[in-house]
Structure formats: C-alpha cells, structure tokens
Amino acid sequence: MKKSQKILALIGTNIPRVDIQEKMTGEALFTDDIQFGVKLLYARIKRSPHAHALIKSIDTSRAEKLPGVRAVVTGADFSGRIGLYLKDRHIIARNRVRYIGEPVAGVAAVSEAVAEKALDLIQVEYEPLPALFLPQDAIKPDAPLIHPDLGEYEVVNFIFPKPGTNISNHFKIRKGDMKNAWKNCAAIVENEYYIPHIQHVPLETHVAVAKVDLSGKITLWTSSQSPFAQRDLIAKTWGMSPADIKVISPYVGGGFGCKAGVTMEALPVLLAMKVKGCPVKLRLTREEEFYTNFVRQALLIRLKMGCDAEGNILAMENTMYWDGGASTEYGVNITRAGGYSSTGPYDIPNVKTDSYCVYTNNTIGGPYRGFGMSELHTGIEQCVDELANKIKMDKVAFRMRNVVESGDILATGMVMHPTGIKACIEKVAEAIEWGKPSEPSAPHKKRGKGIALMWKAPAMPPNPGSSATLKFNSDGTVFLSIGGQEIGQGAFTVAAQIAAAGLGVPMDWIRISKPLDTDYSSYEWQTVASRITWTMGNAILDAAKDARKQIFKIVAKAWKENKKDLEIKDGIVYSTNTDKKISLKDFVITGIPKKKDQGWIGGPIIGRGKFMPTYVTGLDKDTGQGKRAVVHYTTGAQGFIVEVDTLTGKLEIIKAVSAFDVGKAINPDLVKAQIEGGMVQGISSALFEQLVFKEGVLQNPNFVDYRIATTMDLPDKMESYYIEVPQDDGPFGARGIGEHPMVPTIAAIANAINDAVGIRLEGPPFTAEKLFMAIKAQNKSVD
C-alpha cells in the first residue's frame, strides 16, 4: 500500500460521531448547585421599552434595598465599548438607547424571581427620539443620526464607516466599463428584492455564568462558538490581560452564528465584579432570545443585469442596503462579504457594487448561517432566471455558459481556483429531470422546477489563526487539544479523523480534550465561517507532522536507519527496508533504551501545529480590487420540484436536490448531514420565517407566532451529492460545507414557484396567503 493510501485510510470514511464521543473525556455539567455551589446568584436585565431615546436618569435605590438583591449595575458602572470589527456598543446603555430590548440595568439576586421583582423597582426616565426602521430611510441625508459619535469608534482597517451618516460600512467594487457595457447588452433586467429579518432559534437559549475571584481573575462559562474571541474582546474592553480571563465552553445546544462573538456574555461579568467570589448566571428567556440578541440582518437588494444575444452576461450593478440594526459591530463584515461576493458564482467583466451597512433602530443584526450569502443569492439567482427568460434561453444552459471557472478573474481581481460547480449543476439538473414536465397531482395544482447556484468564501479577517496540540499517553493514546467548538456539525469527529490519519494511529486512540477552556485548549479564532475543517484541520496536520518528525528522529537514531525509510501504520513504526517495527506505546513517553543499558533515546512526544492563511491581501477602498480577496470559495447548486395549489396557495415541495463541491469529504456521512440540514433550514427560511416588527416592537417572539419547519414540512424526496475537486490549501484537499447548503434554497424555490404559476414575490417567506393573493391578482389581470 502506498504511503498516501495509508494516510488517507481514515479520510473519506463514515466514522459515526457517537464512536468518537464515547471515548472523549468528561464534560462539565451546566447544573447550578452541583457545579457552581450555593453562592450562585441569578441575573436579570432591565431593558429599554423605546426604540430610540435619551436616558435622562436611572434610580436603582429601591432595587438595591430589596431583600435577596446582591448587586445592581447600570451604564454608569462601565464606559467602555465592545465590538468585533467596529466598537460601537456599550455593554449596558449609557445616555442613549437605540433599540427595544437594549440593556439599561442589571440585577444579581438569590433567585430569578427576586431579580425580576427588583427590575420593577428600577426607575428610568427617557426622552424619546425619532426612530428609523428601514435602511432606505436611514441613509437619507436628513435622517437623524443613531450613532452621532461614529467617527470616534475604533474600527479595523478593512471596514469603512461614513461618519455623520447612518452608514457604518460602505464596500465598493468598480470593475470594467459599465457605461459601454450596457450599450452592448441585448437584454437587461432590473429587479428589487427584500429579504426579512429572521432568528436563529437555537433550542438552547443563550446562557452564561461569570465568576470573579478575589484576585480579580474572571472565569466565564458560556454556550459559545467563540470562547477565545469572547476572552479577547472582554479583556480588551476592560483593559485586562487575556491571561486574567478564562472562558470555558461545553457543548453548544445550537448556534448558527448567534453564539459567535460577544452578545450577552459580558453582562454577568459586569455583575460578578460587584460580588467577587459569587458566580452570577444569566439565562435568556425564549422571548429575549428572539429580540434582544443577534438576528439575521434584513436586506434590500437592487439588481441590474445585462447580457448579449448569445447569453453572455456583460454587466451587473448590485446595490445592497443591509439593515444592521442598532449595532453593527459584527454586521459590518457581512456587508463586506456581500460586497466581494456580489456577482454570485458568475464570470462578469463589468461590475459595479455598493454594499451598505446601515444603522436602524431595529434589533442588532449579526452573523447567521450563510453570513449574508442566502440574502444575496436570493436576489441574484432570481435575476439570472429573469435574464435567461428575456433572451429565451434555457436557464441551466444560461448558467453553464456564465458560471465561474478556474482561471477566471473575479470581480475583486482575484484569480478563481479550480471548482466543480459545473459538475454540481449537471448533477442537480439530472436529478430533477430538468426539461421534462412533472405532472401535478390534481387539475387545480401546478408544478414547477427551479434551480439556483451559490458560492461562499469563509468571511473572516485576513489573519485568523488556528492551533492544535497532540500529546501522547503511555499506552499510545493521544490527547488532541483544539479550540474549534462542537456545535452539532461533527467538528470533534472530523478533528479526530484528521489527527488519526495524520499520525498513522487507530481512530480509537484519539481523545479530544474538552470542554474548551481558553487556559488549556489550543487557540482557535472562532467556530464560524465554515472554516473549522479547513483551518483547524490544517493545524492538526501540522501538529501530526511535528509529532511524526520527533518519532522518526528517535527511532532512526535507535535503529541507525534513515528517517525517510520509516512509516507509521496502526500505531506501529516500521522500516520499509528491514523487518524492524515498534509500537508507539512502547516509547512515546519512556523513550527507547540504548544497547547495553547505556542510556535512553527520546522522551515524551508532544506535537504542536498551527495554521494561518498568510496570502489574503487587502482590497482598494474605492474599487474593491486586490490580488486575493478570500482564501477560497465553496460552490454548489440546488434544485426543487414544487407543487402549488391554485385554489389555496399552499406550496408543497415534491423533491429537493443539492450538490456541492467540498474539495474532499473527510466524513461523507457528516457532509451529507450538513447538506440535508442546511437545505431544511433554507426551506424553513423560504416558506415560514420572518420577524415581524411594528415600530421596533417584535410581534412574534415565540414559537406560537414564529413558525419554523418541522419534519412534517420536509420534502418526500431529498437527495444530496458532493463533488470533490481538491482545494490546494485544504487538509487532504477539504474545504467547508457547514453554511453553504442553505444559501441557494430561497432562490431555487422562488424560481420553481415562478416556473409553476408565473409569479415572483418580492421576497420570502413564500406563504400560502401570499401565493393565494398573488394568484388571485394574476387571474384578475388576465380577466
């Protein structure tokens, strides 16, 4: 067997997750008295009833006197601002509130009931200010400023706020000659789409416990995708060393982006500072989870696209207004990601993009699975369909003609790497029998087929790092220390597979060190952006390489052989030249004895690895041009067959098909699980989900009024495929697949609806009521 075959024996294998997790070390329990003791206090937060107002005064004296209350905090207790990309948010509001639900005071008490009672005793006097709820209103020159001090905020160098306006980031692309490009177009389409706010709705709401010991060291237990980012952000905000803050994060009960960065986690820290030695626990209610935490930003997108008579797309103008809400500390990078990906996966020579992140007085917008790509592609892929219709060209053929390929110069000036997107299109088209009619189940029902493409790059700073440590035990087993979080996607399983394959040991020798603990776990920027398999996997391979180097040095010296002639398989080191072999368990801790008892060779083996993409370059502020905007793109396609009841508007998905180029499927079953799960989440956002605001007040902050897809809503037939065109900078060629499957879903369903009944709605959700009214209006216009 060749060396490469030996290493890859565990890669591309369906290792069940349970087999890995049964062998992992014990988990810290989030149980109150057992873990945190009888000193545990419970926090509740008083929140603003106004969308925009000045705080004239706060009186906490009655709350402080209530029996059982141990601490009360307000914005006066801490003046620093916090934020990942743009520091525009106070932990507790100071002087001004900017959305309904913004914290204005916090209480720690012996029970949640006492804390709630104390909140009622806090008196806050407000002076209401004009509020803005639509980005198109907030960008007007005479609009009241939501952040008058925007010009003073600390911001990273790739985000471009416009002080004196409500625009917190403006990302631009200017490529080609737009004026002359339109003259050469045989067909042009212009459309506007609106994609609403939705919620992540993790089954586990946000929860955090903070404790400050007598020396001032902070320990924070969080349900988090970002323990290291949380540590670093809180440390910087407080002016502390990261070494004085410890963040512990057990398994996460659903994240989807809302548990990235810092949202509510700093609140119990602020309270804990007033009651040193006592842990303080804050748990969001389901209603609070809906309207006080990150939501997916809404998007108003205006598109103009043109092609020549042969169907070659010549030009695109894309203007996006992202509703960032009251704080855009994370959302500004969604705007940037939407900007550099603004053409979708198409080769377009002339591009003008303006991507605006706009402050409003809505709930804070933040990262959501797909990081803006679902919203962006909802517009682009419907526009592509319309353009194909206008020149009477088959929609699949139109996409195949224009889709991006290896070597193409992208809108940012980056050269596209090899991609299997054409194979994805062909797979989906074949599976839904594109071009063949699908017979409806009844005369009053109509069927249609729709397809949509996607691409997505890991949206992150240019230099996010990963690290890993492999530490051998005396029996040959290995503790793998990583900082990537397990949020249900199988990150720990894939990490163990990569480690085992990289080292050359059996799978059951690998133990993941957990829970994540910033004092002891290896560093990881965040578990976001579908980057963990790629970046953490590279760090693990680097650690395995380091360990193997040490192992071969020891054995080569003991056997007097060339290191190049040594290999490891199933935990056994052997020589390819001789019949010598030795088990790792016999020497990785104790070493190998020299002949005649003349000492020892070796010592404990610890492999250390790291990875950081060093090749991403900056982009010009005015043109968006640069050598390499992103590390890479994952590409794919989805297709749907739908049936619409013309009497009721009810929509049924008959068949759903996905195909994505994953580079290399480390664990095929987990890849397919991500594809299916993402598609279902996409279906939910397409058919049911929308946060309904009225003057900034959320009308549906519960599962009664906010509908998500259940098993009853799933298509009878779902097919998932993956293509493997290796990524040059990925572990074994792998790239991410966590977010991508929900990116094209809304557009593909919208295109299928249009194919069925000739209707195109302004945006999701595509409810039965909306479809019924549109069909009714269509029938009236025909009459």
Side-chain angles (χ1 to χ4, degrees), residues 136-172:
Q136 56 267 46
D137 291 336
I139 62 170
K140 292 177 180 177
D142 60 346
L145 297 182
I146 296 172
H147 285 264
D149 300 329
L150 176 58
E152 301 174 13
Y153 297 165
E154 183 180 341
V155 62
V156 297
N157 66 356
F158 51 85
I159 298 299
F160 309 116
K162 300 186 73 174
T165 74
N166 289 314
I167 298 170
S168 57
N169 189 28
H170 180 193
F171 183 92
K172 295 186 283 187

Side-chain angles (χ1 to χ4, degrees), residues 578-613:
T578 67
D579 59 356
K580 290 181 179 179
K581 60 183 179 179
I582 184 173
S583 174
L584 291 173
K585 65 181 67 176
D586 292 336
F587 73 94
V588 287
I589 295 295
T590 59
I592 299 175
K594 293 181 179 179
K595 291 181 179 181
K596 299 180 181 181
D597 198 22
Q598 294 302 303
W600 295 79
I601 301 169
I605 302 296
I606 301 176
R608 297 175 178 85
K610 61 183 175 64
F611 176 76
M612 187 180 78

Side-chain angles (χ1 to χ4, degrees), residues 341-355:
S341 299
S342 59
T343 61
Y346 297 100
D347 179 24
I348 305 177
N350 303 285
V351 180
K352 180 185 178 186
T353 295
D354 289 284
S355 186

Side-chain angles (χ1 to χ4, degrees), residues 89 107 155 200 259 349 355 360 397 458 460-461 472 519 558 560-561 565 577 615 631 635 682 720 735 742 753:
R89 179 168 61 87
V107 173
V155 62
H200 308 71
K259 292 176 182 173
S355 186
T360 67
M460 56 193 186
F472 278 90
D519 273 8
K560 293 181 171 33
E561 293 214 22
D565 295 329
N577 280 342
Y615 35 80
V631 290
T635 59
S720 300
R735 63 175 78 88
M742 76 171 294
I753 292 170

Side-chain angles (χ1 to χ4, degrees), residues 251-303:
Y251 279 129
V252 176
F256 313 111
C258 70
K259 292 176 182 173
V262 174
T263 55
M264 51 72 80
E265 294 82 8
L267 290 166
V269 174
L270 199 57
L271 283 160
M273 285 182 161
K274 287 202 168 188
V275 286
K276 289 186 177 180
C278 295
V280 178
K281 177 179 180 178
L282 176 61
R283 176 187 58 85
L284 297 190
T285 65
R286 178 57 63 185
E287 289 75 15
E288 287 177 311
E289 187 75 26
F290 267 103
Y291 75 96
T292 71
N293 227 35
F294 281 152
V295 299
R296 189 179 78 180
Q297 295 184 141
L299 173 64
L300 176 68
I301 180 170
R302 292 169 178 160
L303 287 161

Side-chain angles (χ1 to χ4, degrees), residues 225-252:
Q225 297 174 230
S226 313
F228 286 94
Q230 286 182 343
R231 178 198 66 179
D232 295 345
L233 282 169
I234 292 172
K236 191 169 185 180
T237 301
W238 258 277
M240 299 174 62
S241 167
D244 294 326
I245 300 177
K246 172 191 181 94
V247 178
I248 301 172
S249 294
Y251 279 129
V252 176

Side-chain angles (χ1 to χ4, degrees), residues 67 84 131 212 267 282 376-377 385 395 448-449 464 556 585 763 778:
L84 186 64
V212 181
L267 290 166
L282 176 61
L376 168 67
H377 286 77
D385 250 34
K395 296 163 190 172
K449 298 178 180 182
K585 65 181 67 176
Q778 183 187 57

